[in-house]
Amino acid sequence: MTTADHVKTTIYGRPVSVDGVPNLYEGTPVVKWTPPEPGIDNLGLHSWDTFNIPGVGEFNVEFDGYVRVVRSEATDCEWAGAEVYTNLIEMKMVAESEELGRITTTLNPDCLSAGQIRTPFDPYAGEGPAAKACRMAVGCLFDMPKLGKTLFNREPVILTIDDVRSIPPAGAPGKGQIYRMLPLYDVQDPDGEPVGYLTSLRFNMGGYLAEEQVR
Amino acid sequence: MTTADHVKTTIYGRPVSVDGVPNLYEGTPVVKWTPPEPGIDNLGLHSWDTFNIPGVGEFNVEFDGYVRVVRSEATDCEWAGAEVYTNLIEMKMVAESEELGRITTTLNPDCLSAGQIRTPFDPYAGEGPAAKACRMAVGCLFDMPKLGKTLFNREPVILTIDDVRSIPPAGAPGKGQIYRMLPLYDVQDPDGEPVGYLTSLRFNMGGYLAEEQVR
Protein backbone atom coordinates (compact mmCIF):
# COMPACT_ATOMS: atom_id res chain seq x y z
CA MET A 1 0.00 0.00 0.00
CA THR A 2 1.32 3.41 -0.85
CA THR A 3 0.06 6.79 0.31
CA ALA A 4 -0.25 7.94 -3.32
CA ASP A 5 -4.05 7.91 -3.38
CA HIS A 6 -4.50 9.99 -0.21
CA VAL A 7 -5.03 13.77 -0.43
CA LYS A 8 -1.90 15.48 0.82
CA THR A 9 -2.30 18.78 2.63
CA THR A 10 1.36 19.23 3.51
CA ILE A 11 3.83 19.27 0.63
CA TYR A 12 7.48 19.14 1.72
CA GLY A 13 9.04 19.35 -1.75
CA ARG A 14 8.54 19.00 -5.49
CA PRO A 15 5.96 16.40 -6.58
CA VAL A 16 7.25 13.58 -8.81
CA SER A 17 4.86 11.46 -10.86
CA VAL A 18 4.93 7.67 -10.55
CA ASP A 19 3.05 7.20 -13.85
CA GLY A 20 4.90 4.76 -16.07
CA VAL A 21 7.98 4.76 -13.84
CA PRO A 22 9.39 1.22 -13.46
CA ASN A 23 10.00 -0.44 -10.11
CA LEU A 24 13.66 -1.28 -9.59
CA TYR A 25 14.69 -4.24 -7.46
CA GLU A 26 17.71 -6.33 -6.58
CA GLY A 27 20.09 -6.66 -9.52
CA THR A 28 19.62 -3.11 -10.79
CA PRO A 29 23.09 -1.68 -11.46
CA VAL A 30 24.11 1.47 -9.58
CA VAL A 31 26.54 3.45 -11.74
CA LYS A 32 28.85 6.09 -10.27
CA TRP A 33 28.88 9.67 -11.57
CA THR A 34 26.02 8.95 -14.01
CA PRO A 35 22.45 10.33 -13.84
CA PRO A 36 20.10 7.34 -14.14
CA GLU A 37 16.77 6.95 -15.93
CA PRO A 38 13.69 7.60 -13.75
CA GLY A 39 12.77 4.72 -11.47
CA ILE A 40 11.12 3.65 -8.27
CA ASP A 41 13.96 2.53 -6.01
CA ASN A 42 13.06 -0.24 -3.58
CA LEU A 43 15.83 0.03 -1.02
CA GLY A 44 16.70 -1.29 2.39
CA LEU A 45 17.09 1.20 5.22
CA HIS A 46 18.50 0.91 8.72
CA SER A 47 18.33 3.67 11.32
CA TRP A 48 19.26 4.49 14.89
CA ASP A 49 16.78 6.86 16.52
CA THR A 50 16.57 8.45 19.94
CA PHE A 51 13.17 9.35 21.34
CA ASN A 52 12.56 11.37 24.45
CA ILE A 53 9.10 10.87 25.94
CA PRO A 54 8.59 13.37 28.80
CA GLY A 55 7.54 11.54 31.96
CA VAL A 56 8.55 8.17 30.48
CA GLY A 57 12.20 8.33 29.48
CA GLU A 58 14.77 8.40 26.73
CA PHE A 59 14.96 5.48 24.34
CA ASN A 60 17.59 4.50 21.78
CA VAL A 61 16.05 2.22 19.22
CA GLU A 62 17.31 0.55 16.06
CA PHE A 63 15.02 0.29 13.06
CA ASP A 64 15.21 -1.94 10.03
CA GLY A 65 13.00 -1.83 6.98
CA TYR A 66 12.63 -0.41 3.52
CA VAL A 67 11.70 2.64 1.51
CA ARG A 68 10.26 3.09 -1.97
CA VAL A 69 11.46 6.29 -3.63
CA VAL A 70 10.33 7.59 -7.00
CA ARG A 71 13.02 9.52 -8.84
CA SER A 72 12.39 12.12 -11.57
CA GLU A 73 14.26 12.34 -14.83
CA ALA A 74 17.57 14.13 -14.24
CA THR A 75 17.61 17.74 -15.41
CA ASP A 76 20.86 17.09 -17.31
CA CYS A 77 22.44 13.98 -18.84
CA GLU A 78 25.85 15.08 -17.49
CA TRP A 79 26.51 14.39 -13.79
CA ALA A 80 27.82 17.88 -12.98
CA GLY A 81 24.62 19.75 -13.82
CA ALA A 82 22.11 17.03 -13.08
CA GLU A 83 19.41 17.53 -10.46
CA VAL A 84 17.04 14.76 -9.51
CA TYR A 85 13.80 15.13 -7.54
CA THR A 86 12.48 12.41 -5.30
CA ASN A 87 9.28 11.49 -3.47
CA LEU A 88 9.14 8.91 -0.72
CA ILE A 89 6.08 6.86 -1.67
CA GLU A 90 6.34 4.14 0.96
CA MET A 91 8.32 3.43 4.10
CA LYS A 92 8.15 0.67 6.67
CA MET A 93 10.65 0.60 9.49
CA VAL A 94 10.34 -1.66 12.53
CA ALA A 95 12.19 -1.55 15.84
CA GLU A 96 11.88 -3.69 18.95
CA SER A 97 12.08 -1.76 22.20
CA GLU A 98 11.67 -3.34 25.60
CA GLU A 99 9.98 -0.24 26.99
CA LEU A 100 8.08 1.04 23.94
CA GLY A 101 7.23 -2.28 22.31
CA ARG A 102 7.39 -3.01 18.61
CA ILE A 103 7.62 0.45 17.02
CA THR A 104 6.53 0.75 13.41
CA THR A 105 7.34 3.88 11.42
CA THR A 106 5.45 4.59 8.21
CA LEU A 107 4.74 7.64 6.06
CA ASN A 108 2.14 10.15 7.21
CA PRO A 109 -0.39 9.97 4.35
CA ASP A 110 -1.28 13.68 4.84
CA CYS A 111 2.24 14.67 3.78
CA LEU A 112 4.11 14.53 0.51
CA SER A 113 7.59 13.50 1.69
CA ALA A 114 9.96 14.83 -0.91
CA GLY A 115 13.54 15.71 -1.64
CA GLN A 116 16.23 16.28 -4.18
CA ILE A 117 19.79 15.45 -5.18
CA ARG A 118 21.96 18.26 -6.51
CA THR A 119 25.49 19.63 -6.40
CA PRO A 120 25.76 21.70 -3.23
CA PHE A 121 26.91 25.32 -3.25
CA ASP A 122 29.64 24.37 -0.79
CA PRO A 123 31.11 21.22 -2.40
CA TYR A 124 33.90 19.33 -0.73
CA ALA A 125 37.27 19.88 -2.32
CA GLY A 126 38.60 16.80 -4.04
CA GLU A 127 39.64 15.30 -7.33
CA GLY A 128 37.21 14.01 -9.90
CA PRO A 129 33.54 14.93 -10.32
CA ALA A 130 31.81 16.88 -7.57
CA ALA A 131 29.84 14.71 -5.18
CA LYS A 132 26.21 15.71 -4.70
CA ALA A 133 24.07 16.33 -1.64
CA CYS A 134 20.82 14.46 -1.07
CA ARG A 135 18.00 15.69 1.17
CA MET A 136 14.52 14.40 1.88
CA ALA A 137 11.85 16.04 4.07
CA VAL A 138 9.70 13.37 5.68
CA GLY A 139 6.40 13.24 7.53
CA CYS A 140 6.19 10.09 9.66
CA LEU A 141 3.81 8.12 11.79
CA PHE A 142 5.50 6.40 14.74
CA ASP A 143 3.24 3.67 16.11
CA MET A 144 4.23 2.89 19.70
CA PRO A 145 1.85 0.21 21.01
CA LYS A 146 3.17 0.02 24.59
CA LEU A 147 2.71 3.80 24.83
CA GLY A 148 -0.77 3.33 23.36
CA LYS A 149 -0.11 6.13 20.91
CA THR A 150 0.79 6.88 17.33
CA LEU A 151 3.00 9.95 17.09
CA PHE A 152 3.55 12.25 14.13
CA ASN A 153 5.89 15.11 13.32
CA ARG A 154 4.85 18.55 12.03
CA GLU A 155 8.33 19.82 11.31
CA PRO A 156 9.59 17.41 8.65
CA VAL A 157 12.44 15.09 9.52
CA ILE A 158 15.22 16.25 7.17
CA LEU A 159 17.23 13.20 6.10
CA THR A 160 20.50 14.08 4.42
CA ILE A 161 23.25 12.16 2.66
CA ASP A 162 26.48 13.93 1.74
CA ASP A 163 29.19 12.93 -0.69
CA VAL A 164 26.70 11.29 -3.06
CA ARG A 165 28.57 9.62 -5.94
CA SER A 166 25.73 7.58 -7.41
CA ILE A 167 21.95 7.79 -7.70
CA PRO A 168 20.49 6.19 -5.69
CA PRO A 169 23.13 6.63 -2.95
CA ALA A 170 22.79 2.94 -2.02
CA GLY A 171 25.02 1.94 0.87
CA ALA A 172 25.65 5.50 2.04
CA PRO A 173 25.38 6.69 5.63
CA GLY A 174 23.14 9.64 6.41
CA LYS A 175 21.82 11.81 9.19
CA GLY A 176 18.56 13.32 10.35
CA GLN A 177 19.20 17.06 10.74
CA ILE A 178 17.49 17.46 14.09
CA TYR A 179 18.29 20.51 16.15
CA ARG A 180 18.07 19.36 19.79
CA MET A 181 14.46 18.07 19.68
CA LEU A 182 11.84 17.58 17.02
CA PRO A 183 8.33 17.66 18.55
CA LEU A 184 6.04 14.66 18.03
CA TYR A 185 2.28 14.89 18.46
CA ASP A 186 -0.42 12.34 19.24
CA VAL A 187 -2.64 11.59 16.20
CA GLN A 188 -5.58 11.33 18.64
CA ASP A 189 -4.89 14.82 20.02
CA PRO A 190 -3.16 16.62 17.16
CA ASP A 191 -3.50 20.12 18.64
CA GLY A 192 -2.38 19.06 22.11
CA GLU A 193 1.10 19.33 23.61
CA PRO A 194 3.85 17.26 22.02
CA VAL A 195 3.93 13.83 23.68
CA GLY A 196 7.44 12.99 22.60
CA TYR A 197 10.51 14.24 20.81
CA LEU A 198 12.87 12.78 18.27
CA THR A 199 16.26 13.97 19.45
CA SER A 200 18.67 12.08 17.18
CA LEU A 201 18.59 10.03 14.00
CA ARG A 202 21.27 8.51 11.85
CA PHE A 203 20.81 5.94 9.12
CA ASN A 204 22.39 3.76 6.48
CA MET A 205 20.81 3.45 3.05
CA GLY A 206 20.80 -0.14 1.97
CA GLY A 207 20.90 -1.56 -1.53
CA TYR A 208 18.13 -2.70 -3.87
CA LEU A 209 15.81 -5.31 -2.38
CA ALA A 210 14.12 -8.26 -4.02
CA GLU A 211 10.45 -7.66 -4.85
CA GLU A 212 9.27 -10.08 -2.15
CA GLN A 213 11.14 -8.10 0.51
CA VAL A 214 8.92 -5.03 0.05
CA ARG A 215 5.61 -6.90 0.03
CA MET B 1 -2.88 42.44 8.28
CA THR B 2 -2.39 39.05 9.83
CA THR B 3 -2.71 35.67 8.21
CA ALA B 4 -5.09 34.53 10.95
CA ASP B 5 -8.20 34.49 8.73
CA HIS B 6 -6.65 32.42 5.92
CA VAL B 7 -7.17 28.65 5.80
CA LYS B 8 -3.89 26.96 6.64
CA THR B 9 -3.10 23.67 4.97
CA THR B 10 0.37 23.24 6.44
CA ILE B 11 0.64 23.22 10.22
CA TYR B 12 4.21 23.39 11.52
CA GLY B 13 3.40 23.20 15.25
CA ARG B 14 0.76 23.52 17.93
CA PRO B 15 -1.98 26.09 17.27
CA VAL B 16 -2.29 28.90 19.82
CA SER B 17 -5.47 30.99 20.05
CA VAL B 18 -5.26 34.78 19.82
CA ASP B 19 -8.75 35.22 21.35
CA GLY B 20 -8.60 37.68 24.22
CA VAL B 21 -4.81 37.72 24.27
CA PRO B 22 -3.48 41.27 24.79
CA ASN B 23 -1.01 42.97 22.46
CA LEU B 24 2.23 43.83 24.21
CA TYR B 25 4.28 46.82 23.11
CA GLU B 26 7.22 48.93 24.19
CA GLY B 27 7.37 49.28 27.96
CA THR B 28 6.29 45.73 28.73
CA PRO B 29 8.67 44.32 31.34
CA VAL B 30 10.65 41.18 30.45
CA VAL B 31 11.33 39.23 33.63
CA LYS B 32 14.09 36.62 33.84
CA TRP B 33 13.38 33.04 34.93
CA THR B 34 9.63 33.72 35.16
CA PRO B 35 6.87 32.29 32.92
CA PRO B 36 4.77 35.25 31.73
CA GLU B 37 1.04 35.62 31.19
CA PRO B 38 -0.14 34.95 27.61
CA GLY B 39 0.44 37.82 25.22
CA ILE B 40 1.04 38.88 21.67
CA ASP B 41 4.64 40.03 21.54
CA ASN B 42 5.33 42.81 19.04
CA LEU B 43 9.08 42.58 18.64
CA GLY B 44 11.81 43.93 16.41
CA LEU B 45 13.84 41.45 14.37
CA HIS B 46 17.05 41.77 12.41
CA SER B 47 18.48 39.01 10.22
CA TRP B 48 21.36 38.21 7.90
CA ASP B 49 20.38 35.83 5.13
CA THR B 50 22.27 34.24 2.26
CA PHE B 51 20.37 33.31 -0.88
CA ASN B 52 21.77 31.30 -3.75
CA ILE B 53 19.86 31.76 -6.99
CA PRO B 54 21.19 29.27 -9.58
CA GLY B 55 22.20 31.11 -12.74
CA VAL B 56 22.10 34.47 -10.97
CA GLY B 57 24.44 34.35 -8.00
CA GLU B 58 24.86 34.29 -4.25
CA PHE B 59 23.56 37.22 -2.23
CA ASN B 60 24.14 38.20 1.38
CA VAL B 61 21.35 40.47 2.53
CA GLU B 62 20.47 42.14 5.80
CA PHE B 63 16.83 42.37 6.85
CA ASP B 64 15.16 44.58 9.39
CA GLY B 65 11.57 44.44 10.51
CA TYR B 66 9.22 43.00 13.07
CA VAL B 67 7.31 39.93 14.15
CA ARG B 68 4.08 39.45 16.09
CA VAL B 69 4.09 36.26 18.15
CA VAL B 70 1.19 34.93 20.18
CA ARG B 71 2.27 33.02 23.29
CA SER B 72 0.18 30.41 25.10
CA GLU B 73 -0.27 30.21 28.82
CA ALA B 74 2.76 28.47 30.33
CA THR B 75 2.13 24.83 31.31
CA ASP B 76 3.59 25.52 34.78
CA CYS B 77 3.92 28.64 36.93
CA GLU B 78 7.47 27.58 37.88
CA TRP B 79 10.20 28.29 35.31
CA ALA B 80 11.78 24.82 35.44
CA GLY B 81 8.72 22.91 34.23
CA ALA B 82 7.11 25.60 32.11
CA GLU B 83 6.52 25.09 28.41
CA VAL B 84 5.16 27.83 26.22
CA TYR B 85 3.74 27.43 22.71
CA THR B 86 3.98 30.15 20.11
CA ASN B 87 2.49 31.05 16.73
CA LEU B 88 3.99 33.62 14.44
CA ILE B 89 0.95 35.65 13.38
CA GLU B 90 2.69 38.38 11.39
CA MET B 91 6.15 39.13 10.05
CA LYS B 92 7.51 41.88 7.88
CA MET B 93 11.20 41.98 7.09
CA VAL B 94 12.73 44.26 4.47
CA ALA B 95 16.20 44.18 2.91
CA GLU B 96 17.76 46.33 0.22
CA SER B 97 19.90 44.41 -2.25
CA GLU B 98 21.59 46.01 -5.23
CA GLU B 99 21.10 42.90 -7.34
CA LEU B 100 17.76 41.58 -6.04
CA GLY B 101 16.07 44.90 -5.24
CA ARG B 102 13.98 45.59 -2.19
CA ILE B 103 13.26 42.13 -0.76
CA THR B 104 10.22 41.81 1.50
CA THR B 105 9.73 38.69 3.60
CA THR B 106 6.31 37.94 5.06
CA LEU B 107 4.49 34.87 6.36
CA ASN B 108 3.11 32.35 3.90
CA PRO B 109 -0.64 32.50 4.69
CA ASP B 110 -1.03 28.79 3.78
CA CYS B 111 1.20 27.82 6.73
CA LEU B 112 0.75 27.97 10.47
CA SER B 113 4.23 29.03 11.58
CA ALA B 114 4.60 27.72 15.10
CA GLY B 115 7.04 26.87 17.83
CA GLN B 116 7.70 26.32 21.48
CA ILE B 117 9.96 27.18 24.38
CA ARG B 118 10.94 24.39 26.75
CA THR B 119 13.85 23.06 28.77
CA PRO B 120 15.99 21.01 26.40
CA PHE B 121 16.94 17.40 27.11
CA ASP B 122 20.58 18.39 26.75
CA PRO B 123 20.75 21.56 28.91
CA TYR B 124 23.98 23.48 29.24
CA ALA B 125 25.73 22.94 32.53
CA GLY B 126 25.74 26.02 34.72
CA GLU B 127 24.61 27.53 37.96
CA GLY B 128 21.12 28.81 38.54
CA PRO B 129 17.92 27.84 36.72
CA ALA B 130 18.20 25.87 33.46
CA ALA B 131 18.00 28.02 30.36
CA LYS B 132 15.40 27.00 27.83
CA ALA B 133 15.50 26.36 24.10
CA CYS B 134 13.22 28.20 21.70
CA ARG B 135 12.30 26.94 18.23
CA MET B 136 9.91 28.19 15.58
CA ALA B 137 9.10 26.54 12.24
CA VAL B 138 8.31 29.19 9.66
CA GLY B 139 6.74 29.30 6.20
CA CYS B 140 7.83 32.46 4.35
CA LEU B 141 7.16 34.42 1.20
CA PHE B 142 10.26 36.17 -0.16
CA ASP B 143 9.23 38.87 -2.61
CA MET B 144 12.17 39.67 -4.92
CA PRO B 145 10.98 42.33 -7.40
CA LYS B 146 14.17 42.54 -9.47
CA LEU B 147 14.01 38.77 -9.96
CA GLY B 148 10.33 39.19 -10.84
CA LYS B 149 9.42 36.39 -8.46
CA THR B 150 8.01 35.64 -5.05
CA LEU B 151 9.69 32.60 -3.53
CA PHE B 152 8.39 30.29 -0.81
CA ASN B 153 9.81 27.44 1.24
CA ARG B 154 8.24 23.99 1.67
CA GLU B 155 10.63 22.76 4.34
CA PRO B 156 10.02 25.17 7.22
CA VAL B 157 12.81 27.52 8.21
CA ILE B 158 13.66 26.38 11.75
CA LEU B 159 14.60 29.44 13.80
CA THR B 160 16.23 28.60 17.10
CA ILE B 161 17.38 30.53 20.14
CA ASP B 162 19.43 28.81 22.81
CA ASP B 163 20.15 29.82 26.38
CA VAL B 164 16.71 31.43 26.79
CA ARG B 165 16.48 33.11 30.20
CA SER B 166 13.31 35.10 29.68
CA ILE B 167 10.11 34.84 27.68
CA PRO B 168 10.12 36.45 25.17
CA PRO B 169 13.87 36.04 24.55
CA ALA B 170 14.13 39.74 23.59
CA GLY B 171 17.63 40.77 22.60
CA ALA B 172 18.86 37.23 22.05
CA PRO B 173 20.80 36.03 19.00
CA GLY B 174 19.50 33.06 17.04
CA LYS B 175 20.11 30.90 14.04
CA GLY B 176 18.21 29.35 11.17
CA GLN B 177 18.98 25.63 11.24
CA ILE B 178 19.60 25.22 7.54
CA TYR B 179 21.52 22.19 6.37
CA ARG B 180 23.49 23.34 3.32
CA MET B 181 20.53 24.60 1.27
CA LEU B 182 16.83 25.05 1.81
CA PRO B 183 14.93 24.95 -1.50
CA LEU B 184 12.74 27.92 -2.44
CA TYR B 185 9.98 27.65 -5.04
CA ASP B 186 8.25 30.18 -7.28
CA VAL B 187 4.65 30.89 -6.17
CA GLN B 188 3.73 31.13 -9.88
CA ASP B 189 5.15 27.65 -10.55
CA PRO B 190 4.86 25.85 -7.22
CA ASP B 191 5.51 22.36 -8.61
CA GLY B 192 8.46 23.46 -10.73
CA GLU B 193 12.15 23.21 -9.86
CA PRO B 194 13.39 25.31 -6.95
CA VAL B 195 14.40 28.74 -8.25
CA GLY B 196 16.56 29.62 -5.30
CA TYR B 197 17.98 28.39 -2.03
CA LEU B 198 18.34 29.86 1.41
CA THR B 199 21.79 28.72 2.50
CA SER B 200 22.34 30.62 5.75
CA LEU B 201 20.35 32.66 8.26
CA ARG B 202 21.21 34.22 11.56
CA PHE B 203 19.20 36.75 13.47
CA ASN B 204 18.86 38.94 16.53
CA MET B 205 15.55 39.22 18.34
CA GLY B 206 14.86 42.81 19.20
CA GLY B 207 12.84 44.23 22.05
CA TYR B 208 9.21 45.31 22.28
CA LEU B 209 8.21 47.90 19.69
CA ALA B 210 5.84 50.83 19.99
CA GLU B 211 2.41 50.20 18.48
CA GLU B 212 3.02 52.63 15.60
CA GLN B 213 6.14 50.66 14.58
CA VAL B 214 4.11 47.58 13.65
CA ARG B 215 1.43 49.41 11.69
Side-chain angles (χ1 to χ4, degrees):
Chain A
M1 196 188 73
T2 74
T3 69
D5 46 355
H6 188 99
V7 174
K8 298 188 188 324
T9 53
T10 299
I11 310 293
Y12 288 135
R14 190 181 188 199
V16 177
S17 174
V18 295
D19 288 353
V21 181
N23 268 286
L24 303 175
Y25 296 108
E26 195 176 33
T28 304
V30 177
V31 185
K32 273 195 178 178
W33 314 119
T34 305
E37 293 295 309
I40 296 174
D41 292 328
N42 293 270
L43 299 166
L45 182 61
H46 201 90
S47 78
W48 295 265
D49 300 27
T50 305
F51 296 95
N52 205 308
I53 315 286
V56 183
E58 182 182 88
F59 306 99
N60 295 297
V61 294
E62 188 173 344
F63 285 92
D64 195 65
Y66 67 86
V67 288
R68 300 182 61 221
V69 181
V70 60
R71 269 187 289 102
S72 74
E73 186 149 21
T75 59
D76 198 308
C77 58
E78 296 292 327
W79 174 264
E83 289 165 34
V84 171
Y85 298 92
T86 58
N87 287 177
L88 194 44
I89 57 174
E90 193 178 351
M91 174 170 64
K92 186 176 181 186
M93 304 290 291
V94 177
E96 298 289 347
S97 159
E98 200 175 312
E99 303 90 347
L100 298 174
R102 184 185 178 87
I103 308 173
T104 305
T105 305
T106 53
L107 292 181
N108 183 340
D110 294 341
C111 302
L112 179 70
S113 294
Q116 70 176 120
I117 299 172
R118 69 161 283 147
T119 308
F121 302 107
D122 55 347
Y124 299 115
E127 289 186 26
K132 293 190 180 293
C134 176
R135 67 190 299 126
M136 175 80 86
V138 186
C140 303
L141 296 176
F142 302 95
D143 182 46
M144 299 189 178
K146 273 202 183 173
L147 203 64
K149 287 183 167 60
T150 300
L151 278 48
F152 72 103
N153 56 301
R154 288 184 138 152
E155 298 176 17
V157 181
I158 308 293
L159 302 180
T160 62
I161 302 176
D162 286 324
D163 197 21
V164 170
R165 298 165 185 221
S166 68
I167 299 171
K175 198 170 175 317
Q177 299 298 330
I178 296 164
Y179 190 70
R180 307 193 84 169
M181 49 184 172
L182 191 145
L184 303 175
Y185 301 85
D186 181 351
V187 294
Q188 298 297 327
D189 182 24
D191 292 346
E193 290 179 29
V195 291
Y197 294 85
L198 184 60
T199 56
S200 171
L201 192 164
R202 60 192 175 88
F203 65 94
N204 274 341
M205 283 303 307
Y208 281 112
L209 298 177
E211 187 168 357
E212 58 270 23
Q213 290 176 281
V214 296
R215 282 289 163 89
Chain B
M1 195 187 75
T2 74
T3 69
D5 45 356
H6 189 101
V7 174
K8 299 190 187 322
T9 52
T10 298
I11 310 294
Y12 288 134
R14 190 181 188 199
V16 177
S17 174
V18 295
D19 288 352
V21 181
N23 268 285
L24 302 175
Y25 296 109
E26 195 176 31
T28 305
V30 177
V31 185
K32 273 193 179 181
W33 314 119
T34 305
E37 293 296 308
I40 296 174
D41 292 328
N42 293 270
L43 299 166
L45 183 61
H46 201 89
S47 78
W48 295 265
D49 299 27
T50 304
F51 295 95
N52 204 309
I53 316 286
V56 183
E58 182 182 88
F59 306 100
N60 295 295
V61 293
E62 189 171 344
F63 284 91
D64 195 66
Y66 67 87
V67 288
R68 300 182 60 222
V69 182
V70 60
R71 271 187 289 101
S72 74
E73 186 150 22
T75 58
D76 198 307
C77 59
E78 295 292 327
W79 175 264
E83 291 166 33
V84 171
Y85 299 92
T86 58
N87 288 178
L88 193 45
I89 56 173
E90 192 179 350
M91 174 171 63
K92 186 176 181 186
M93 303 291 289
V94 176
E96 297 290 348
S97 159
E98 201 175 312
E99 302 90 348
L100 299 174
R102 184 184 177 88
I103 308 174
T104 305
T105 305
T106 54
L107 293 181
N108 183 341
D110 295 340
C111 303
L112 179 70
S113 293
Q116 71 177 120
I117 299 172
R118 70 161 284 147
T119 308
F121 302 107
D122 54 347
Y124 299 115
E127 288 187 25
K132 293 191 181 291
C134 176
R135 66 189 301 125
M136 174 80 84
V138 186
C140 302
L141 297 177
F142 302 95
D143 183 46
M144 299 190 178
K146 273 202 183 173
L147 203 65
K149 287 182 166 63
T150 300
L151 277 48
F152 73 103
N153 57 302
R154 287 182 138 152
E155 297 176 17
V157 181
I158 307 294
L159 301 180
T160 62
I161 302 176
D162 287 323
D163 197 21
V164 170
R165 299 165 184 221
S166 69
I167 300 172
K175 199 171 175 316
Q177 299 297 331
I178 295 164
Y179 190 71
R180 306 192 85 170
M181 50 184 171
L182 191 143
L184 302 176
Y185 301 86
D186 181 351
V187 294
Q188 298 297 327
D189 183 23
D191 292 346
E193 290 178 31
V195 292
Y197 295 85
L198 185 60
T199 56
S200 172
L201 194 163
R202 60 192 177 86
F203 65 94
N204 274 340
M205 283 303 308
Y208 281 113
L209 298 176
E211 187 167 357
E212 57 272 22
Q213 291 176 280
V214 297
R215 281 291 163 88

